[in-house]
Amino acid sequence: VLDLRAKIRGLKGEEGFDGELWVLFEPWYKSLAEKRAGDYQTAATEWAIAYCEQLKIGLPSWMMDKNQVDALRKLQAAVESGSEKLLREAVVFAKQADYKSEAKLLAMYDEAVGKLRHLKRLPSGWEVEDLVGDDADHKMFKKVDIDSPIVKQLFQQVFDETRAAIVTRDRTGSMPRGYRVEKIISVMNVDSWGSYMKRCDEIGEQCKRFKGAAPCPDSVWKDMSGPVQTANHGNAILTGAHLPPLSGEANEFLMFHGTKPEAADSIAANHFDMAFACKTGLFGAGLYF
């Protein structure tokens, strides 16, 4: 091509030749993307880059660079495979390849992110891109402050309405007269969320085996210790935090676990661990809510 370009320099001119070349090259090049012929498109891109570098001219504006073509190929393969590992690797690679500047690449990136969200059953309020980060092997974990006054007020109402001055034999020290909500942090732990969703499904299936077990009717709660006190505000809190509603099929309720800040950080990162369960609690070793 370079020899041909040099020979016609005096006839049509270099710029005319380049223009005609790209006019013919463009539809063929774009057809490779439509056919998902990633290897051929990568080779074509490498040829075009080498051609432009040798002549010291810029690539056509409609052409992706090599990294973008590689990113498109990785995203396509990851979406087709449905592999979490490949999806995470492809998303990280695409983020480093300026995926937003190319419409087709952006669309495939969004599809891969959506596939990853669906695969892990993540809440709509969780930003998959932020959780993936810049390292495909990094734990998908993040903590975000919830600044909503409405959510804060709902939490405060729950504490106010459920406070009971009941002294149990494991209680030491004076009883607090009340609680004030100062800060709310949303924990986004993909591994813990997956375990939670799986267990919730299992409980829901078990409840189906017993007629009337879920959702548990008010009459049953009255025969026990009364209705769950957090029931009035649970779903409203979750809605404000952009989380899915509680599962009635699993008799799910929002509960509170009291612990020290450092223990809360450990629970957020690693989930509850029975090895650290309170051994001096009212009913023995266990997790108390």
Side-chain angles (χ1 to χ4, degrees):
V1 175
L2 294 177
D3 290 341
L4 179 60
R5 184 176 186 271
K7 289 178 181 178
I8 66 172
R9 179 180 300 175
L11 299 176
K12 196 171 184 179
E14 295 176 358
E15 293 183 1
F17 175 84
D18 294 335
E20 291 294 333
L21 172 64
W22 298 129
V23 166
L24 296 173
F25 194 89
E26 181 178 4
W28 172 76
Y29 176 82
K30 290 184 175 180
S31 71
L32 296 177
E34 295 172 359
K35 297 175 183 177
R36 295 199 170 189
D39 292 338
Y40 289 106
Q41 192 173 43
T42 299
T45 300
E46 291 174 345
W47 178 89
I49 291 173
Y51 176 80
C52 292
E53 286 179 348
Q54 187 162 351
L55 297 176
K56 294 181 173 55
I57 61 176
L59 277 170
S61 59
W62 45 262
M63 179 176 285
M64 292 187 289
D65 61 30
K66 184 179 183 301
N67 286 337
Q68 289 175 319
V69 173
D70 287 343
L72 181 62
R73 184 180 62 205
K74 289 178 182 293
L75 289 169
Q76 290 171 338
V79 168
E80 290 174 357
S81 72
S83 163
E84 177 189 350
K85 183 176 185 298
L86 292 181
L87 284 166
R88 291 182 62 177
E89 290 175 349
V91 167
V92 169
F93 188 90
K95 288 170 69 174
Q96 300 169 349
D98 190 22
Y99 70 92
K100 293 182 180 179
S101 65
E102 174 60 39
K104 189 171 184 64
L105 181 56
L106 175 59
M108 185 53 63
Y109 177 88
D110 289 340
E111 185 176 348
V113 169
K115 186 90 172 182
L116 189 56
R117 180 187 297 280
H118 178 74
L119 183 66
K120 304 301 291 184
R121 300 172 66 183
L122 300 180
S124 60
W126 290 17
E127 293 294 338
V128 178
E129 297 172 83
D130 293 341
L131 288 167
V132 172
D134 298 322
D135 184 352
D137 296 321
H138 188 69
K139 184 174 183 177
M140 295 175 72
F141 174 83
K142 187 177 182 181
K143 292 195 289 187
V144 179
D145 290 346
I146 296 181
D147 299 323
S148 168
I150 296 176
V151 176
K152 187 175 182 179
Q153 180 60 33
L154 286 169
F155 270 103
Q156 188 63 61
Q157 288 178 2
V158 170
F159 277 106
D160 293 342
E161 294 174 10
T162 61
R163 187 185 69 82
I166 300 175
V167 181
T168 56
R169 65 171 180 262
D170 60 329
R171 165 70 67 178
T172 59
S174 60
M175 289 283 292
R177 291 181 297 175
Y179 303 94
R180 183 173 64 192
V181 178
E182 294 287 348
K183 188 176 184 179
I184 304 169
I185 299 175
S186 176
V187 176
M188 303 177 185
N189 187 326
V190 174
D191 290 339
S192 291
W193 183 264
S195 299
Y196 152 71
M197 291 296 291
K198 180 181 178 181
R199 185 60 183 140
C200 192
D201 290 343
E202 292 172 349
I203 293 174
E205 288 300 316
Q206 290 172 349
C207 287
K208 290 179 181 178
R209 294 162 49 192
F210 304 95
K211 186 178 180 180
C216 191
D218 292 340
S219 58
V220 174
W221 292 118
K222 289 179 181 179
D223 292 338
M224 293 190 285
S225 57
V228 179
Q229 292 180 306
T230 60
N232 292 335
H233 302 298
N235 278 326
I237 288 175
L238 295 179
T239 298
H242 304 291
L243 293 170
L246 298 165
S247 172
E249 295 181 351
N251 281 324
E252 186 179 23
F253 294 92
L254 191 65
M255 296 289 185
F256 290 92
H257 175 71
T259 189
K260 298 178 181 179
E262 56 271 21
D265 287 337
S266 178
I267 293 170
N270 305 304
H271 207 24
F272 285 97
D273 188 341
M274 283 297 295
F276 297 97
C278 176
K279 297 177 177 59
T280 59
L282 178 61
F283 301 104
L287 302 174
Y288 287 75
F289 296 87

